[in-house]
Amino acid sequence: MRRPRRTPLISRRSAEEAGLRRPSGPPRRPRYVIALEDVHRVYTLGDIHVHALRGVTLRIERGDLVVIMGSSGSGKSTLMNTLGCLDLPTRGRYLLDGIDVRHYDPDDLADIRNRKIGFVFQSFNLVPRTTALANVELPLAYAGLPRQQRRARAIAALEEAGVGDRIGHLPSELSGGQQQRVALARAIVTNPSLILADEPTGNLDSRSTGGVLDLFARLNNEGRTVVIITHEPEVAHLAKRLVRLADGRIVEDVRYAAVGDPAPDHARAVPG
């Protein structure tokens, strides 16, 4: 288990808090949050070589809402692991918010994930015997933020996710939709560059699915970059941009709305 840092990693509100010297004027942020360049991922099992990704090039702009779809074996799980810095390319380059992840060791990559990426998983991944508030505070604790700051930011994130009245509840006391909202609050509490969701509606009923997708749309409308990996057509209706994978390659890349446009209305987009 990773130990909490003694010095803050997350605080992004001022150079003084981060312990960094910042040049005068506003900081320049890369246009692309994600930039994959000819990425290959090959798994070797004895004499067998499995090509999970075959020359994937993908750039995702800041503020976009991208849905990545693919059937089983398409490479979308490998792409998810690559985007989340959980796995590194065998060949090619991946820049996350301008950072070339190839140059970092596992501990540094863990810090980059904590700072740059807010994860949302199908199974929620909440700590069972821990309140919603403590679950959301967890990334900030690893980043070394003081307790008072952690609590204030976690409460604000839970309120933004629509579960501000559930801060003292355990996961077992929450519905599936509420648990996913807590997971979303945990994803945004560090103010990450990217919200990365893996099958986020897979364990939800239709009503909870609609509510969670509407929350993704609202977060994107606030300027957050959202990437959702799914096999569910209903989720694809939320996309400003839809990318399809097959056999480790991008086979379709369709733009439905400009990056700066409002996210599609899920209630209108899904028939019936």
Side-chain angles (χ1 to χ4, degrees), residues 29-66:
R29 305 179 72 188
R31 175 182 177 184
Y32 298 107
V33 174
I34 288 172
L36 297 173
E37 299 177 6
D38 193 30
V39 165
H40 296 252
R41 185 63 176 102
V42 181
Y43 297 101
T44 301
L45 305 172
D47 295 331
I48 300 174
H49 302 286
V50 179
H51 294 261
L53 296 177
R54 301 170 181 264
V56 173
T57 295
L58 177 66
R59 295 181 178 88
I60 296 178
E61 293 185 55
R62 195 174 306 281
D64 209 350
L65 198 166
V66 179

Side-chain angles (χ1 to χ4, degrees), residues 108-212:
D108 288 334
L109 285 175
D111 287 340
I112 290 170
R113 284 194 298 271
N114 195 33
R115 178 178 179 181
K116 296 287 186 181
I117 305 173
F119 288 97
V120 182
F121 299 99
Q122 176 178 346
S123 57
F124 318 134
N125 284 16
L126 300 177
V127 181
R129 290 182 293 277
T130 304
T131 65
L133 179 61
N135 267 283
V136 176
E137 284 185 11
L138 193 57
L140 302 177
Y142 281 127
L145 262 68
R147 182 175 181 179
Q148 188 174 359
Q149 290 185 34
R150 295 199 309 262
R151 182 179 179 86
R153 291 176 64 169
I155 291 173
L158 285 162
E159 289 174 347
E160 185 172 2
V163 282
D165 58 343
R166 296 289 189 271
I167 63 173
H169 288 63
L170 301 176
S172 60
E173 299 169 333
L174 302 172
S175 68
Q178 290 170 338
Q179 289 186 64
Q180 196 61 292
R181 286 174 178 270
V182 172
L184 264 166
R186 183 182 57 193
I188 65 176
V189 74
T190 59
N191 189 25
S193 301
L194 170 67
I195 298 173
L196 183 58
D198 183 22
E199 302 284 1
T201 61
N203 286 342
L204 304 181
D205 58 30
S206 58
R207 180 177 179 181
S208 296
T209 291
V212 168

